[in-house]
Amino acid sequence: MSEQAGTAATFEMHRNHLQSVAYRMLGSLSEAEDAVQEAWLRLSRVDASSIDNMGGWLTTVVSRICLDMLRSRKARREAPMAEPSPEMSMSYTNLADPVEEAELAEAVGVALLVVLGNLNPAERITFVLHDIFAVSFGEIAPIVGKSEMATRQLASRARRRVRGARASSDVDVRRQRDVVQAFLAAAHTGDFATLVRVLDPDVVLRDDRRAASVNVTRGAAALADQVAGRAEKAAQLALVNGAIGIIVAPRGRLRYVLKFSILNGKITEVDLISNHERVQQLELNVLSN
């Protein structure tokens, strides 16, 4: 086997891991594949025999590539533009494989992907490497260009933003979770009776996707009829402003958030929020098991 062929074979042994790292960092399968391909190009230009830890070297290279891509993406978002950037829109064009991406997003957790998207590039890289892949802070520090102490602080800040502050009442959160989970399950299966049972008789749904004149649905029966059998597969429970809510993010791309008000075990209000500016004002956190 030639040296180049041997290097290629070694790289292929690490490809799945590298793609897994890159996907969590970027939230896009096509971009993750681009990052992994760039890592291969960089490896092909060096003497592979001089690399003692190939897995560590490749993970570092992919991480630096992803950091550059995230910073470039952030700069595009901050620059004045006439149209929303691809990451801010609901477009699903240019996907490497929509089915594979949907399955990957489901496996990773669409809520996690959405919340990771709210971190700054250095926070996201640090959180993914340390909290998900157990890379040491000493190894992460040179990747993000920070001291080890500053990198620990990045991870701590990212962790708080991903997981949120501890709820004031775990009992309240569990009760909310039971109610919203029952709502979501019934909406999936089309169980009209269960939907009516978990909804307050005077429940109100406000949907910002509709014109102001028709954006409100009132009453348990009307709301149950509207959502029965229509829940999206990509819907997952999450913390929305510290309470149980639902994030809907097909292929890891946020479509809308459902924010609930619950009183005496019944859902009294539902706000469907899809407007980007309104979503940005929400505190979204991953729900612990």
Side-chain angles (χ1 to χ4, degrees):
M1 181 182 294
S2 69
E3 182 178 345
Q4 184 72 4
T7 300
T10 301
F11 181 82
E12 288 304 318
M13 291 172 56
H14 295 281
R15 180 182 289 276
N16 287 342
H17 169 74
L18 297 175
Q19 186 158 303
S20 181
V21 171
Y23 180 70
R24 285 163 175 78
M25 290 178 174
L26 298 170
S28 162
L29 180 57
S30 59
E31 288 187 347
E33 290 174 341
D34 288 344
V36 172
Q37 182 62 23
E38 175 62 24
W40 160 246
L41 294 175
R42 295 187 187 187
L43 176 61
S44 66
R45 293 195 290 264
V46 302
D47 179 7
S49 64
S50 66
I51 301 173
D52 294 330
N53 180 355
M54 181 63 73
W57 188 91
L58 287 169
T59 299
T60 296
V61 169
V62 164
S63 298
R64 286 175 171 158
I65 294 167
C66 290
L67 182 59
D68 289 343
M69 294 172 75
L70 288 171
R71 285 172 172 165
S72 176
R73 181 191 296 175
K74 185 173 185 291
R76 291 198 305 273
R77 283 177 172 170
E78 292 176 348
M81 63 183 89
E83 299 293 335
S85 70
E87 294 83 12
M88 292 164 57
S89 72
M90 302 306 163
S91 171
Y92 301 128
T93 57
N94 300 320
L95 296 178
D97 183 330
V99 174
E100 182 180 356
E101 182 141 18
E103 292 174 348
L104 191 53
E106 184 71 19
V108 171
V110 296
L112 177 60
L113 290 175
V114 169
V115 174
L116 286 176
N118 293 333
L119 304 181
N120 70 41
E123 288 173 344
R124 185 164 183 166
I125 296 295
T126 301
F127 180 86
V128 169
L129 287 177
H130 183 266
D131 282 45
I132 298 178
F133 291 99
V135 178
S136 72
F137 289 119
E139 295 172 279
I140 299 170
I143 296 174
V144 296
K146 304 281 186 181
S147 67
E148 186 170 338
M149 179 62 71
T151 304
R152 289 179 181 274
Q153 292 172 347
L154 277 177
S156 179
R157 188 163 64 242
R159 201 173 296 119
R160 288 195 301 271
R161 296 184 66 188
V162 170
R163 298 175 183 168
R166 184 175 179 83
S168 57
S169 171
D170 289 339
V171 173
D172 285 347
V173 170
R174 285 197 298 271
R175 288 171 178 167
Q176 292 173 12
R177 184 173 190 160
D178 290 343
V179 173
V180 176
Q181 182 66 68
F183 170 86
L184 182 59
H188 270 301
T189 61
D191 185 345
F192 185 87
T194 297
L195 283 169
V196 171
R197 188 164 58 249
V198 299
L199 296 170
D200 184 87
D202 299 317
V203 65
V204 175
L205 165 68
R206 290 176 288 268
D207 185 344
D208 72 5
R209 299 172 303 177
R210 296 180 168 189
S213 60
V214 293
N215 73 340
V216 175
T217 301
R218 299 182 185 276
L223 179 50
D225 185 62
Q226 183 172 323
V227 303
R230 295 183 176 89
E232 298 195 47
K233 182 180 179 182
Q236 286 191 1
L237 299 189
L239 286 174
V240 180
N241 289 350
I244 302 295
I246 292 174
I247 288 176
V248 179
R251 303 169 193 159
R253 287 159 171 75
L254 183 62
R255 180 173 291 170
Y256 58 83
V257 175
L258 292 176
K259 181 174 172 286
F260 295 89
S261 295
I262 298 172
L263 182 64
N264 298 325
K266 302 281 188 178
I267 296 171
T268 59
E269 297 181 10
V270 185
D271 285 287
L272 189 156
I273 304 168
S274 64
N275 177 272
H276 177 71
E277 291 184 0
R278 293 186 65 204
V279 169
Q280 288 296 100
Q281 294 171 2
L282 298 173
E283 181 183 352
L284 305 178
N285 306 115
V286 174
L287 185 61
S288 300
N289 292 327

